[in-house]
Amino acid sequence: MDIIGIDLGTTNSVATVYTNEGLKHISFDGDFLLPSIVNVSNDGVIVGIKAKNMAMIAQENTAISIKRLMGSDQKVTLNGKEFTPQEVSSLIIKKIKNTAEQEMGEKYNRCVVTVPAYFNENQRAATTQAVELAGLKVLRVINEPTAAAISYGANKDEDMLYGVYDLGGGTFDISIIENSKGLIEVVATSGDNYLGGDDFDKKLSQLIWQKSGFDIPLTQKLQIKLNQIAEKAKIDLSTQEEVIIDEKFFAKKDKEPLHLEVEIGREEFEELIREDIDRTVELLLSTLEDANYDIDDLEAIILTGGSSRIPFVTHTILEKTGKLPILIEDPDKSVSIGAILQGAIIEGIDTDSILVDITPYSLGISTLNESMGFELILSKIILKNTPVPVSKVSRYYAMRDYQEGFEIDIYQGENEKDLSENINIGNMLLEIKNPIKEGAIDVTFTLNQDGMLSVVGKEIHTDEIIKGEFRTKISKSSQHSNVNEMDILNEHDRAIMGKIDKLLESDILEEDKADLKALKAKYINAHSEEKATIEEEIIDTIFFLEDSH
Ligand code: AMP
C-alpha cells in the first residue's frame, strides 16, 4: 500500500505506514514524533528536532506552530523569502515522505491526512494544498478525533457510545461517537481551533518570567527559549508536584550572566489553565446536548492529544461530569494510526469497518431578510452535524426583474441572525443565461467526505446548470510554488558551522572565541552519536554569546 497516514500536528507530526507485518511508525532522528518546525537557510531546509534547536539561534529563519496560520492569508518570511503556511507545511510533509521512503525502501504516492474536526473550509483546503505541494495525492482528509476513534474502536466488538476528547498543541476537538458492529459513526462534534498546549506554555512562560525577577527586556529570542523551558516544565508537572527550573547563563545583563532559577508548583500551573480546561468540559457537555444525549448515556470519555496527559484534565472532567476518562493508549500515535487504518479501509484491506463522519458546522449563504429591515442574515443550507458526504438544495429568488446573476457569499457558522459571527469562506458568481421577470435559482451545496465544499446553481425556468468559480480565501499562487525545488537536508552541520564562523568574525571576547573554536573542533571530530549532545552545547553557547553581543 503506497499510503502514509499523516497526523500533521501543531507541535509534532506523526506518520504511520501499513506493512505486511503490521503498522509501522516512521522514525525521525530516532523518535516517532517529528517536531512540526521548519528552518530555512541558504543551504536548504531542515525539519524536525534539528530545526527546533535552530529556533534558538536562528529564529528569524524558523517557523514554529505553522498549523495555527493554515487557511489564513498571512505569510511567514524565512531567510528573506516569503512562504504561505501551506508551503511551510508542505516542507514538513516532504520530510515525512522522504524519510518514509528511505526507511521503508518503498515509494509513497498517497496519504490520508488528518485535520482538527473544527478546521474550516479554508484550513482544509490549505492542508490539501500542502500535501499536494509535497508531491503526495490526498486520498482522504479525516478529522483528528475521528481518527483517534478509529484507532480506539478498531479492535472492539461491543456497541458503545463514547466521547473523544482531543486536546493537542494548538487545537481542542470533541466528538461523540457511536460504535456498532464495525460502523464508527460520529454523531456530533465541536471544538476550538485556538486552544491547546501552546497556550499553556505561553501562560506558564509569563509566570516564569514574572517569578524570575529579571529586569531586562524580554526579547523575541529569549521568549523562544523561555517557551521551550516552559513546555518542559509543563510536561514535568504532569508527573511531578513541583519543578525546579535551573537554567545557568539564561541571559546577560551588563555583561554579567543571569541564571534563571524558579520553582513552580503543580497547583500554580493548574490555576493558569483552569479557565481553559473548564471551557473544554463545557464544550463536551454542549456537544452531547447537540446530539440529544445526556452525560449518563456516555459509556466512556476517551482522552487523546498530548495535552490530555495533564492530570488536571482528568480531574476536571471527573469533577464536572462524574465520569473517569480513559487516556487512550499511545495518545501521540492514535491519530496517525486512525489515518492509516482509514487508508486501509478505503483500499479494501480492512473490510469490516465503515466510517460515517459529519460536518462540524453549518454552511450557507448570506441573504437579505425583509422582515429584519433588509439586514443580511445567514441562510443555512447544510446543517451542523449532518453526515457527509451530503448534497442539499435551497431556492433563492431574484431581487430584481431580469436579474443577470446571483453573487453568493458563502459562510460557515451557527449564528443565523448576526452574519459577522460566522466565517466567510468565499464567494461565487452564478450567471443567469436567460434572465426573466421574477427569476429564481436552486443552489446546491455538496460536502464531500473530506469536508470540502462544492457549489452549483440551476436556473429554475430552464433547468440549466450554472457553474461558477468558487473563490476561497486560499491563494492558489502556491500551486506554482518554488518549495518543490527546495532540498530537505538530513543534517544541519553547515547551518551551525555558518553561525559559529559568523560569531568568530565578530568582536566577541578572545576567550569566547577560543571556546567556540574548541567546540567547533570537537563537533567536527565527533562520532555521529555524540553530535547531538555537542550540538546542544554549541547552540547554548551561540545563544548566550549572540544575546550578550
Ligand atoms: P499533539 O498536538 O497531540 O501532539 O500534542 C502536543 C502538545 O501536547 C504539546 O503542547 C505538548 O507540550 C503537550 N504534551 C505532550 N506531552 C505532555 C505531557 N506529558 N504533559 C503535558 N503536556 C504534554
Side-chain angles (χ1 to χ4, degrees):
M1 204 165 84
D2 66 341
I3 303 170
I4 318 180
I6 300 180
D7 165 10
L8 189 63
T10 311
T11 324
N12 296 302
S13 296
V14 183
T16 310
V17 293
Y18 201 97
T19 73
N20 291 338
E21 284 82 49
L23 300 185
K24 169 119 188 40
H25 302 288
I26 302 304
S27 165
F28 307 94
D29 300 301
D31 193 353
F32 71 92
L33 288 175
L34 174 72
S36 306
I37 300 181
V38 175
N39 172 274
V40 179
S41 68
N42 291 340
D43 289 328
V45 179
I46 305 163
V47 178
I49 186 69
K50 290 177 171 170
K52 190 171 179 174
N53 289 338
M54 288 303 283
M56 299 246 275
I57 53 171
Q59 73 272 35
E60 67 284 0
N61 294 340
T62 311
I64 299 173
S65 296
I66 195 69
K67 188 170 170 180
R68 286 187 174 238
L69 299 184
M70 289 292 264
S72 75
D73 45 19
Q74 279 189 59
K75 293 198 174 150
V76 290
T77 305
L78 303 171
N79 199 31
K81 260 199 237 132
E82 272 200 340
F83 293 85
T84 62
Q86 50 272 37
E87 285 175 322
V88 176
S89 295
S90 81
L91 294 169
I92 300 172
I93 300 168
K94 212 163 158 185
K95 164 86 178 184
I96 291 174
K97 180 180 187 307
N98 290 354
T99 314
E101 289 179 347
Q102 271 163 18
E103 188 175 337
M104 306 304 299
E106 304 239 356
K107 267 250 149 302
Y108 291 95
N109 302 312
R110 298 176 294 163
C111 84
V112 175
V113 66
T114 62
V115 292
Y118 221 58
F119 247 24
N120 66 37
E121 273 290 310
N122 293 329
Q123 291 167 308
R124 282 166 201 263
T127 307
T128 307
Q129 260 188 26
V131 170
E132 287 166 357
L133 280 172
L136 283 169
K137 200 167 160 286
V138 181
L139 186 60
R140 183 69 49 85
V141 178
I142 58 171
N143 295 326
E144 286 161 13
T146 310
I150 296 173
S151 87
Y152 176 77
N155 41 22
K156 298 208 169 27
D157 275 340
E158 76 259 50
D159 297 351
M160 66 187 290
L161 181 80
Y162 56 100
V164 177
Y165 174 109
D166 180 2
L167 188 58
T171 53
F172 169 67
D173 276 325
I174 182 81
S175 291
I176 309 300
I177 315 270
E178 233 177 299
N179 249 30
S180 74
K181 301 180 187 61
L183 180 72
I184 300 167
E185 197 171 355
V186 185
V187 291
T189 182
S190 188
D192 185 337
N193 275 340
Y194 301 96
L195 174 63
D198 284 2
D199 302 291
F200 309 154
D201 298 346
K202 219 168 275 163
K203 288 181 178 177
L204 189 56
S205 75
Q206 281 162 2
L207 179 69
I208 296 170
W209 187 246
Q210 210 181 332
K211 284 187 148 196
S212 75
F214 294 160
D215 63 344
I216 52 168
L218 180 57
T219 57
Q220 197 198 357
K221 204 165 161 176
L222 282 179
Q223 180 70 64
I224 289 176
K225 192 166 186 192
L226 199 59
N227 275 353
Q228 293 193 354
I229 292 169
E231 184 186 10
K232 186 176 178 307
K234 171 190 76 176
I235 291 174
D236 287 346
L237 283 171
S238 289
T239 47
Q240 293 163 216
E241 285 298 324
E242 187 184 59
V243 286
I244 298 170
I245 297 163
D246 184 8
E247 285 284 325
K248 298 274 180 277
F249 305 99
F250 176 76
K252 240 182 188 180
K253 188 185 176 196
D254 304 331
K255 302 233 152 106
E256 286 304 311
L258 292 174
H259 307 307
L260 179 68
E261 286 162 3
V262 170
E263 282 181 32
I264 308 273
R266 189 187 272 182
E267 281 181 13
E268 278 178 283
F269 172 61
E270 292 177 349
E271 271 321 302
L272 291 179
I273 62 167
R274 179 183 296 279
E275 214 177 289
D276 291 332
I277 307 299
D278 282 354
R279 215 176 101 61
T280 62
V281 182
E282 277 159 27
L283 276 165
L284 160 69
L285 295 173
S286 63
T287 311
L288 261 178
E289 216 177 292
D290 287 348
N292 292 322
Y293 283 115
D294 191 75
I295 187 78
D296 295 329
D297 297 324
L298 273 193
E299 270 146 273
I301 299 170
I302 315 297
L303 302 183
T304 181
S307 301
S308 59
R309 289 212 183 91
I310 299 173
F312 189 58
V313 167
T314 297
H315 292 165
T316 311
I317 295 176
L318 179 61
E319 188 187 283
K320 294 197 183 273
T321 68
K323 293 227 180 281
L324 183 66
I326 309 164
L327 189 62
I328 210 167
E329 229 176 280
D330 268 334
D332 296 317
K333 293 178 183 156
S334 64
V335 170
S336 152
I337 291 176
I340 195 66
L341 290 179
Q342 180 60 18
I345 294 171
I346 297 171
E347 286 293 276
I349 294 175
D350 175 355
T351 48
D352 292 336
S353 312
I354 298 173
L355 169 71
V356 178
D357 212 336
I358 56 176
T359 164
Y361 31 69
S362 303
L363 288 156
I365 65 181
S366 62
T367 52
L368 273 179
N369 185 303
E370 292 177 37
S371 62
M372 289 181 62
F374 286 102
E375 274 205 39
L376 278 174
I377 56 159
L378 172 65
S379 156
K380 291 181 180 173
I381 298 181
I382 294 176
L383 295 182
K384 174 184 165 112
N385 292 341
T386 305
V388 290
V390 62
S391 263
K392 288 266 159 130
V393 189
S394 224
R395 182 160 296 183
Y396 295 95
Y397 296 92
M399 300 279 295
R400 298 178 306 278
D401 286 343
Y402 303 103
Q403 188 167 309
E404 290 175 344
F406 286 74
E407 173 83 42
I408 60 173
D409 243 333
I410 301 160
Y411 283 83
Q412 74 177 47
E414 308 314 317
N415 199 324
E416 282 163 299
K417 289 191 182 138
D418 185 355
L419 197 61
S420 66
E421 285 288 300
N422 304 292
I423 301 173
N424 177 228
I425 54 170
N427 58 33
M428 198 168 178
L429 176 67
L430 297 173
E431 284 180 63
I432 305 289
K433 289 222 177 89
N434 314 291
I436 54 165
K437 224 178 153 193
E438 298 174 353
I441 55 165
D442 276 343
V443 176
T444 304
F445 269 35
T446 303
L447 205 53
N448 70 11
Q449 279 167 314
D450 295 342
M452 303 290 290
L453 180 70
S454 56
V455 181
V456 288
K458 189 173 82 177
E459 271 182 32
I460 292 168
H461 57 288
T462 58
D463 264 357
E464 187 146 350
I465 297 294
I466 336 167
K467 292 201 171 126
E469 200 196 337
F470 181 30
R471 297 179 291 257
T472 66
K473 302 267 161 192
I474 297 291
S475 69
K476 294 274 187 295
S477 62
S478 36
Q479 233 115 62
H480 317 283
S481 160
N482 56 5
V483 291
N484 294 326
E485 288 102 56
M486 293 177 79
D487 271 343
I488 311 271
L489 302 178
N490 280 327
E491 34 81 26
H492 70 323
D493 294 14
R494 278 178 292 174
I496 290 200
M497 288 305 133
K499 276 271 169 195
I500 294 183
D501 292 342
K502 220 165 133 194
L503 266 175
L504 285 174
E505 283 163 20
S506 68
D507 57 351
I508 55 172
L509 295 177
E510 282 308 317
E511 61 195 69
D512 289 336
K513 275 191 188 171
D515 283 352
L516 263 183
K517 278 186 190 156
L519 269 176
K520 183 176 171 179
K522 195 164 140 194
Y523 188 68
I524 291 169
N525 296 319
H527 291 293
S528 53
E529 315 87 72
E530 299 164 343
K531 282 207 165 170
T533 329
I534 307 172
E535 198 176 280
E536 270 178 39
E537 213 180 319
I538 293 178
I539 283 176
D540 271 346
T541 311
I542 295 178
F543 180 83
F544 184 66
L545 287 175
E546 281 194 339
D547 199 51
S548 50
H549 185 47

